[in-house]
Amino acid sequence: QRGLGRSGKPDLAYSMADYADDAADLLDALGVDRAHVGGISFGGMGAQHLAVRHQDRIDRLVLACTSPGGSHPSADLLALGRLDEAERAAAYLPLLDTRAQPGRPLPDDLRRALKLRANRRPVTDPVDLMGARRQLEARAGHDVSTALPSVPTETLVIGGRHDGIAPIANLEAIVDRMPAARLQLCEGGHLFLLQDRAAWPRIIDFLSE
């Protein structure tokens, strides 16, 4: 997506609507009229905007560990980024999983998920850092809370019971607003897809209906 990886990184303001339009343009480039769409965390925010702006392109929709914005925002990762490294590490773990509290051993499922993510390389290139910051700024402006009732798409909203970034109340807020949405809670936190082995089969079952 724009700002990350090998995609373009223009140094200008990004919006979540831009990400939704980028996804629709990608479908056009691939010659795909309609598709199942799944979005995880930030991707779930973009998927919500895609559903609002281009709902005719979506067959079924999966929104994982994400938030609608408005009165139910996701955790402020821009503020987290302003902390020093030690403070950021201490604050981030309880956001990933609310059971990860100081003085307590990490839950086994969280420890396993963190190990699977351990090979991720830190971002150090200045252009990459700028692109990542632009993404977080777009994320901070995310709000589709008043637009979701207009989306008729069959939707699975799924997330972890111990998520501090997109807590259960945020998932429920999405389901309450979308006329064809259902909620599925899994074990784990923001990394529930790595923590709960039943999570992906539940998603596959929904998309296979």
Side-chain angles (χ1 to χ4, degrees):
Q1 61 208 33
R2 69 169 66 197
L4 296 181
R6 290 184 291 175
S7 294
K9 303 176 183 69
D11 191 5
L12 47 81
Y14 306 164
S15 71
M16 297 308 302
D18 290 330
Y19 286 104
D21 293 345
D22 289 346
D25 289 344
L26 177 60
L27 291 175
D28 289 339
L30 295 173
V32 176
D33 291 330
R34 290 173 62 88
H36 292 324
V37 172
I40 301 169
S41 191
F42 177 91
M45 297 179 185
Q48 290 173 71
H49 284 264
L50 182 67
V52 169
R53 296 171 67 83
H54 305 279
Q55 58 187 250
D56 59 316
R57 310 303 298 271
I58 301 176
D59 186 0
R60 286 188 162 231
L61 178 63
V62 177
L63 301 174
C65 54
T66 192
S67 302
S71 60
H72 291 83
S74 186
D76 186 352
L77 299 187
L78 275 174
L80 193 69
R82 290 191 285 268
L83 302 176
D84 66 39
E85 186 174 351
E87 291 174 325
R88 185 164 59 250
Y92 190 49
L93 272 180
L95 289 177
L96 286 179
D97 193 307
T98 58
R99 297 171 297 171
Q101 297 298 325
R104 298 182 187 175
L106 290 181
D108 289 341
D109 58 345
L110 177 59
R111 190 185 303 276
R112 183 175 64 247
L114 292 172
K115 184 176 181 180
L116 291 171
R117 284 165 43 109
N119 291 329
R120 297 176 69 175
R121 291 181 295 179
V123 178
T124 57
D125 181 86
V127 176
D128 290 340
L129 289 169
M130 176 277 297
R133 175 176 54 81
R134 289 296 191 182
Q135 174 186 321
L136 290 181
E137 290 169 353
R139 178 184 180 279
H142 164 68
D143 183 3
V144 289
S145 55
T146 61
L148 289 179
S150 68
V151 178
T153 309
E154 288 286 339
T155 301
L156 174 65
V157 179
I158 186 168
R161 298 179 186 276
H162 308 288
D163 192 341
I165 294 178
I168 293 174
N170 292 19
L171 306 180
E172 292 173 337
I174 296 173
V175 173
D176 289 344
R177 287 164 172 78
M178 297 186 73
R182 68 187 79 169
L183 177 63
Q184 178 70 65
L185 294 178
C186 297
E187 297 308 315
H190 201 64
L191 302 180
F192 78 97
L193 289 166
L194 298 175
Q195 294 175 275
D196 188 338
R197 291 183 173 89
W200 280 112
R202 290 169 180 164
I203 292 172
I204 292 168
D205 286 346
F206 168 75
L207 294 177
S208 301
E209 288 180 7

